[in-house]
Amino acid sequence: MCGIFGYCGRRVAQPILMEGIRRLEYRGYDSVGIATLSGGRVFVAKKKGKVSEIAHQFAPAALPGTLGIAHTRWSTHGIPSDRNAHPHLSCDGKIAVVHNGIIENFSGLRELLEEKGHRFSSDTDTEVIAHLIESFYQGNILDAVRKALKGVEGTYGIAVLHAHHEELIAARNGSPLVLGIGTEEFFVSSDASAVVEHTKKVVYLDDGELAQITPRSYHVFDLKKGVKEKEVSTLAWDVQEIEKKGYKHFMMKEIMEQPESLQNTLRGRLDKDVRLSLSGIPREFLARVQRIMITACGTSWHAGLVGKHIIEKYAGIVTEVDYASEFRYRDPLLTARDLVVVISQSGETADTLAAVKEAKRKGATVLGIVNVVGSSIARDVHGGIYIHAGPEIGVASTKAFTGQLAALFLLAFYLAQLRSKPVPRPGMRQLQNIPEVIRKMLADTAFISAIQKIAEKFHAYPNYYYLGRGVNFPVALEGALKLKEISYIHAEGYPAAEMKHGPIALIDENMPVIFIANRGGAYEKIISNIEEVRSRKGKVIAIATAGDKLMSQKADFVIHVPDVEYELTPLVNVIPLQLLAYYIADLRGCAIDQPRNLAKSVTVE
Ligand code: M6R
């Protein structure tokens, strides 16, 4: 949440900064701000609104110089407004700070600083950093930042500039920051996706580190000790991957990319055996694992629920699933024989990262299923599986979910193999073929228009139920979450049989109920659940197996999906649910890639 971008080099900074925060806007879009340095003066422009709405108010002439910092905000302390927009300035206007994170002791610090005569001009926690740095400044900005940060509690990724220094200071504790290393120019960004158009060479800052960047060089320091040698990594992403490529929204582009992204998840990992290289996690340990605990947030947690089913089924290992935000605080019972699996698209979710630390503290081995290479979670786990889905920019997660499912299948099959369990050959072959199956679904105009018709009919309804059973109950949750996030319609997912225990009270002719009702699993039971809804006049929309004629009689609307092994059905069922949410949101005129109140990666608690 919140995007930070900084530039220090020989080019004019303003357009580079504008483009940087435009690319980071998925992290927050309440307000925008830039500070640049020129001729010993700091120039600032900041405004409430989205980059596209207010870009014209950030005139290049008003923001001169070749060094600057920029910010796109997701508000925590203080409402979205011009005065709360970053950068925040010191009293003398010479220090400018942009920040991502939460300063927990900001009220105490603010009181102290006010007693010393500092005057504040915003309601944010961030502003204390600017004043604190000012209070320590004695001619050396790096030194002042270091001293200030020693008194700060909480999380931060910051970028700082001072009117009298041709340098940019960046520091990190709990909020991601990456340095882009160009030729005689350097970048600071919350996320590597915003620097890839300039350079593929990056340095990931770790917690407790700060960087001093000048137009000629950069140095990384430990907050407490001296200079640190940092590895320079090379990004595998390409600039085309972060463009919309003609699609109206990133979400649609990412839905359509699923055949390719799934291919990337599976490539080289599945032929007659499953091959996973989990470098830091010995095979002998995995062969004897006593229990698996999966933890994640949001969509990734839904993937984890599917993971429980398939790991228990194929590998025969007791598997539990917990929200990372609960896991981290509930003192989980863990032993050295437990494997904790964390799932995260961004690899930066604060609760999931804290869960990794908690699991490690308790002696468990931690395996990550992560999309963003080099992210905090990816670097903190003992070993892991990158899903290689490519950058996911739309706030509503789509291709990451299917990549996570594919990775969980690989893990389940791999564990089965290590434990000499019968590995299901047909399932493995079908998983291999899933990208092709989804490619055909997405190219099928009858399939797409069936979904569009349902969206047209139901987009004004205020409430929805999503019902599924077994391995498809998490898919029901995921379908409901997609609809809520981007269309602002109230939707709930339930295990279909639970409906009778309360939710059925809400069924009437105004309630669309989406059943995930593939053949196999508890098909007959689902048919009974459909009857129960129909007899109360609910509108039934069924996701059903291709060729299922019975379902066409039972449901008001049917979306047919390909006939695959029952356990693999989540991979095909989620596709129409993603599309349905998309088309409904589009018909309602919603900001699909930037839904209100949401941010792509939740890097604060
Ligand atoms: O990056 P992560 O997978 O850790 O993110 C977890 C959730 O914040 C994320 O899945 C969220 O629920 C998405 N907006 C869902 O579409």
Side-chain angles (χ1 to χ4, degrees):
M1 8 225 7
C2 297
I4 291 179
F5 198 82
Y7 175 75
C8 180
R10 305 201 175 280
R11 291 189 279 163
V12 176
Q14 188 271 359
I16 300 170
L17 295 170
M18 283 308 284
E19 183 58 12
I21 41 170
R22 189 185 67 76
R23 293 210 185 276
L24 291 174
E25 214 179 8
Y26 68 89
R27 303 178 65 89
Y29 26 87
D30 293 346
S31 42
V32 180
I34 290 186
T36 58
L37 176 71
S38 179
R41 273 185 63 196
V42 175
F43 295 81
V44 180
K46 51 186 198 164
K47 273 262 163 247
K48 179 184 167 198
K50 296 184 180 181
V51 175
S52 55
E53 295 161 358
I54 56 179
H56 61 283
Q57 298 183 47
F58 286 65
L63 291 162
T66 56
L67 189 158
I69 54 179
H71 189 266
T72 174
R73 180 168 186 245
W74 187 88
S75 53
T76 57
H77 295 63
I79 57 161
S81 65
D82 292 356
R83 69 193 288 269
N84 287 335
H86 299 213
H88 290 286
L89 302 179
S90 53
C91 295
D92 63 7
K94 290 187 172 155
I95 298 169
V97 176
V98 291
H99 167 226
N100 169 29
I102 292 181
I103 305 304
E104 284 161 8
N105 59 341
F106 88 99
S107 7
L109 289 172
R110 183 167 170 152
E111 262 173 47
L112 274 174
L113 288 158
E114 279 175 337
E115 276 167 24
K116 288 189 188 166
H118 287 260
R119 290 286 157 262
F120 281 72
S121 42
S122 79
D123 312 313
T124 65
D125 53 338
T126 303
E127 198 184 344
V128 294
I129 306 177
H131 292 277
L132 206 54
I133 296 172
E134 182 176 36
S135 72
F136 284 110
Y137 180 72
Q138 287 181 330
N140 182 327
I141 184 65
L142 175 69
D143 226 43
V145 173
R146 184 186 261 139
K147 284 182 182 143
L149 291 181
K150 285 185 182 154
V152 162
E153 286 163 22
T155 55
Y156 55 80
I158 55 167
V160 182
L161 60 79
H162 188 289
H164 297 165
H165 300 268
E166 203 191 6
E167 63 189 78
L168 215 161
I169 308 295
R172 165 190 168 140
N173 186 45
S175 302
L177 267 193
V178 57
L179 308 185
I181 315 297
T183 310
E184 297 200 337
E185 60 178 2
F186 301 93
F187 307 83
V188 175
S189 176
S190 300
D191 183 325
S193 67
V195 300
V196 73
E197 66 184 293
H198 302 290
T199 176
K200 291 195 174 180
K201 301 270 175 242
V202 295
V203 169
Y204 295 101
L205 285 191
D206 285 308
D207 285 349
E209 289 180 348
L210 69 172
Q212 181 184 38
I213 300 151
T214 72
R216 288 158 297 281
S217 62
Y218 73 95
H219 292 101
V220 178
F221 304 87
D222 192 291
L223 199 53
K224 295 184 192 112
K225 291 170 253 145
V227 184
K228 287 185 86 173
E229 278 301 314
K230 295 286 290 183
E231 185 192 340
V232 179
S233 311
T234 305
L235 296 173
W237 290 349
D238 204 61
V239 71
Q240 281 92 328
E241 290 183 80
I242 52 172
E243 303 291 355
K244 280 194 205 147
K245 289 191 196 155
Y247 287 98
K248 188 171 169 192
H249 298 100
F250 277 110
M251 182 179 177
M252 182 51 97
K253 172 187 169 238
E254 287 156 8
I255 291 173
M256 291 297 171
E257 278 174 350
Q258 287 176 106
E260 203 190 349
S261 58
L262 276 164
Q263 197 81 63
N264 291 340
T265 309
L266 298 172
R267 183 169 294 118
R269 290 167 163 166
L270 192 64
D271 47 33
K272 71 180 185 357
D273 292 323
V274 182
R275 295 207 201 101
L276 287 181
S277 120
L278 304 168
S279 49
I281 307 179
R283 290 161 62 93
E284 305 72 50
F285 168 79
L286 291 173
R288 285 181 287 106
V289 156
Q290 169 178 279
R291 188 178 64 131
I292 293 180
M293 167 65 75
I294 300 179
T295 184
C297 302
T299 286
S300 302
W301 180 76
H302 297 156
L305 292 176
V306 177
K308 170 186 164 67
H309 279 267
I310 57 183
I311 292 171
E312 290 191 341
K313 179 177 173 83
Y314 297 123
I317 306 171
V318 174
T319 304
E320 294 171 38
V321 189
D322 206 353
Y323 285 114
S325 53
E326 294 295 317
F327 176 90
R328 64 180 291 192
Y329 287 122
R330 75 172 166 81
D331 197 12
L333 293 176
L334 290 173
T335 73
R337 291 192 58 198
D338 293 333
L339 176 70
V340 172
V341 176
V342 295
I343 308 174
S344 175
Q345 186 285 128
S346 61
E348 300 294 349
T349 301
D351 284 322
T352 312
L353 186 55
V356 172
K357 296 196 189 303
E358 174 67 0
K360 283 169 80 178
R361 197 179 65 78
K362 295 210 148 162
T365 298
V366 187
L367 184 155
I369 295 178
V370 176
N371 188 31
V372 178
V373 176
S375 56
S376 304
I377 292 173
R379 285 181 297 133
D380 212 8
V381 293
H382 294 109
I385 308 172
Y386 278 124
I387 63 171
H388 297 307
E392 191 181 67
I393 312 277
V395 167
S397 185
T398 51
K399 62 177 179 173
F401 179 71
T402 45
Q404 290 163 348
L405 294 188
L408 285 159
F409 273 103
L410 290 172
L411 181 63
F413 294 158
Y414 183 66
L415 290 170
Q417 195 177 279
L418 290 181
R419 297 160 85 93
S420 310
K421 302 253 177 216
V423 183
R425 298 290 158 199
M428 281 173 64
R429 272 197 299 278
Q430 283 207 11
L431 180 60
Q432 185 80 289
N433 199 34
I434 276 287
E436 194 45 37
V437 169
I438 294 179
R439 191 184 313 281
K440 287 194 181 130
M441 288 173 81
L442 291 170
D444 179 349
T445 46
F447 169 75
I448 301 285
S449 81
I451 301 166
Q452 283 170 328
K453 280 195 188 115
I454 296 169
E456 271 156 33
K457 174 135 186 70
F458 289 103
H459 71 273
Y461 282 61
N463 297 293
Y464 280 67
Y465 275 146
Y466 284 71
L467 304 180
R469 298 183 75 132
V471 80
N472 281 309
F473 159 55
V475 181
L477 293 177
E478 176 61 6
L481 179 64
K482 289 292 88 95
L483 189 69
K484 273 187 275 212
E485 280 189 295
I486 58 168
S487 71
Y488 317 141
I489 293 175
H490 172 239
E492 284 189 66
Y494 269 101
E498 273 295 303
M499 189 184 54
K500 289 195 281 299
H501 300 280
I504 200 166
L506 297 183
I507 304 281
D508 62 14
E509 64 278 18
N510 297 317
M511 178 68 91
V513 183
I514 298 178
F515 277 94
I516 303 174
N518 313 69
R519 280 210 206 95
Y523 179 74
E524 278 73 27
K525 306 283 176 201
I526 286 266
I527 297 278
S528 312
N529 298 143
I530 290 177
E531 294 293 0
E532 289 154 10
V533 169
R534 272 163 53 105
S535 60
R536 285 158 184 87
K537 301 202 178 100
K539 301 276 185 296
V540 174
I541 300 161
I543 309 289
T545 311
D548 184 346
K549 295 210 174 67
L550 178 62
M551 198 56 73
S552 305
Q553 294 161 20
K554 299 280 175 196
D556 297 297
F557 296 87
V558 183
I559 301 169
H560 289 290
V561 293
D563 190 0
V564 295
E565 287 266 317
Y566 185 72
E567 275 67 30
L568 290 171
T569 55
L571 280 158
V572 292
N573 290 336
V574 77
I575 305 291
L577 300 185
Q578 294 169 347
L579 287 166
L580 183 64
Y582 176 88
Y583 289 128
I584 289 176
D586 201 29
L587 285 166
R588 291 164 71 94
C590 296
I592 291 181
D593 284 334
Q594 296 175 341
R596 70 179 180 213
N597 304 338
L598 294 180
K600 180 70 180 163
S601 30
V602 184
T603 54
V604 294
E605 270 193 71

